[in-house]
Amino acid sequence: MSAIAEAAPAKLNLYLHVVGRRDDGYHELDSLVAFAEVADRVTVQPGVARIALRGVDLPPVGPRLAISGPFGPALMGENPAQNLVIRAAHALAARLGREADAMIALEKVLPIASGIGGGSADAAATLRALARLWGVPVADQRLYEVAASLGADVPVCVAGRSCYFGGVGEVLEEAPALPQTFAVLVNPGVPVPTPAVFKARQGAFSAPARFTGAPADAAALAALLRERRNDLTEPALTVAPVIAAVLAALDDTDGCLLARLSGSGATCFGLYADAEHAAAAARSIQAAQPRWWAKAARLLPTPADAPPLPTGLTAPSAVTRAPAPPVPFPDTGGWGVG
């Protein structure tokens, strides 16, 4: 079989309300999620099957991971056993009762630890690509069960389309169709650990704030979102004060309908009614701040043939989380991380 590629698009929390906290410490959320047309890319192909060497049946050496792209070096120094792509491959293989024999290439173009689901999107793309490689329907409930064991953002990234996100990531529900909208994503190059942001959060919890009617256009969408917020903005500012400058830079661009932090940051986004204003805004911000990452992108529409969202997923916990792959981790044999 030839190589199979899947995009891992950036996830945007158009609004994000923290609505409670469970006894185990996980926060419950209410969020409208959309995906932008700027993405990492995961490519998979068959790996080495079991081989016999001197009469001994050896296990496959996979999965093996090759990392490239502008943000690839930031991942290369990490323990491969903790990489979400590798963990996703092992977890899906275990769920399917098969070997995790695959060659995986990750082109990393999205910033690391930036609030746009980069690692989660990569894991989700890996699950979708391996499902196709191994002959499993991409709407199979098992993909979502594995996704929920990997992290809160992974199930919604498997879906890869606009929807409401609830619980601690395991509840996905249909959202109204979003109008054609363009975004500018800006990251100041400061990683923001999600646990640090939640630790800094104070005050009362918010109420869910879902709407049912489809906004007529980008301006109507922005108006609805202005009635909502990202509850993690204030705590994120205590971790990375530069976020305030990013939001101000987006607000100052022509045609910006709304500027907001995504997730726990530090990536912020501005919404625009047309591609021209978005492209001009990205150029002006990049020119003023050459060390920042700024990209203009369309918000992805929901495909007409999108499968139903999953139901009945188990919320992630210390018990249900997928374990790291066994140690020692297999060597990369020249394919490798790099």
Side-chain angles (χ1 to χ4, degrees), residues 172-232:
L172 305 181
E173 296 179 1
E174 298 290 346
L178 300 182
Q180 177 167 275
T181 306
F182 296 84
V184 173
L185 285 63
V186 180
N187 183 275
V190 178
V192 177
T194 298
V197 175
F198 274 100
K199 185 177 181 179
R201 197 201 73 84
Q202 298 179 353
F205 295 112
S206 297
R210 300 182 178 187
F211 54 85
T212 56
D217 53 27
L221 172 62
L224 284 169
L225 296 176
R226 278 195 295 273
E227 298 172 356
R228 294 149 177 87
R229 59 194 170 275
N230 181 344
D231 284 345
L232 298 183

Side-chain angles (χ1 to χ4, degrees), residues 8-331:
K11 170 198 66 77
L12 299 181
N13 297 96
L14 298 185
Y15 77 82
L16 192 158
H17 288 190
V18 181
V19 299
R21 185 175 182 178
R22 304 190 321 183
D23 291 342
D24 61 8
Y26 283 81
H27 286 83
E28 295 190 333
L29 307 174
D30 172 47
S31 181
L32 175 59
V33 171
F35 290 86
E37 203 171 28
V38 55
D40 293 340
R41 187 174 182 84
V42 173
T43 305
V44 303
Q45 54 187 307
V48 178
R50 284 182 177 269
I51 58 173
L53 179 65
R54 297 179 182 177
V56 178
D57 188 30
L58 300 178
V61 294
R64 292 183 176 184
L65 175 63
I67 303 175
S68 63
F71 291 98
L75 296 178
M76 292 177 188
E78 294 183 351
N79 177 1
Q82 297 299 327
N83 184 286
L84 270 176
V85 167
I86 291 294
R87 291 179 60 203
H90 276 282
L92 181 61
R95 184 69 177 83
L96 299 177
R98 58 158 297 136
E99 303 286 5
D101 50 341
M103 311 281 273
I104 307 171
L106 168 63
E107 182 185 7
K108 190 68 187 165
V109 302
L110 300 177
I112 309 296
S114 61
I116 52 177
S120 296
D122 297 340
T126 301
L127 293 176
R128 292 195 304 269
L130 289 177
R132 292 169 57 195
L133 182 71
W134 294 339
V136 177
V138 294
D140 193 300
Q141 182 83 359
R142 290 174 294 180
L143 267 70
Y144 285 98
E145 292 168 355
V146 170
S149 75
L150 294 168
D153 278 345
V154 185
V156 73
C157 289
V158 170
R161 62 185 178 93
S162 300
C163 61
Y164 286 120
F165 166 115
V168 292
E170 82 283 7
V171 180
L172 305 181
E173 296 179 1
E174 298 290 346
L178 300 182
Q180 177 167 275
T181 306
F182 296 84
V184 173
L185 285 63
V186 180
N187 183 275
V190 178
V192 177
T194 298
V197 175
F198 274 100
K199 185 177 181 179
R201 197 201 73 84
Q202 298 179 353
F205 295 112
S206 297
R210 300 182 178 187
F211 54 85
T212 56
D217 53 27
L221 172 62
L224 284 169
L225 296 176
R226 278 195 295 273
E227 298 172 356
R228 294 149 177 87
R229 59 194 170 275
N230 181 344
D231 284 345
L232 298 183
T233 302
E234 291 302 320
L237 284 168
T238 68
V239 177
V242 69
I243 289 169
V246 177
L247 291 169
L250 285 163
D251 261 329
D252 285 344
T253 59
D254 290 340
C256 183
L257 302 169
L258 174 81
R260 178 158 289 170
L261 180 74
S262 181
S264 56
T267 303
C268 301
F269 63 89
L271 297 183
Y272 301 79
D274 56 73
E276 293 75 18
H277 277 96
R283 287 194 302 268
S284 67
I285 291 173
Q286 194 73 82
Q289 297 286 350
R291 295 188 179 183
W292 291 3
W293 177 86
K295 297 291 181 183
R298 179 180 64 126
L299 296 191
L300 293 172
T302 298
D305 59 350
L309 294 169
T311 58
L313 296 181
T314 300
S317 69
V319 175
T320 61
R321 277 198 180 278
V327 177
F329 192 78
D331 71 32

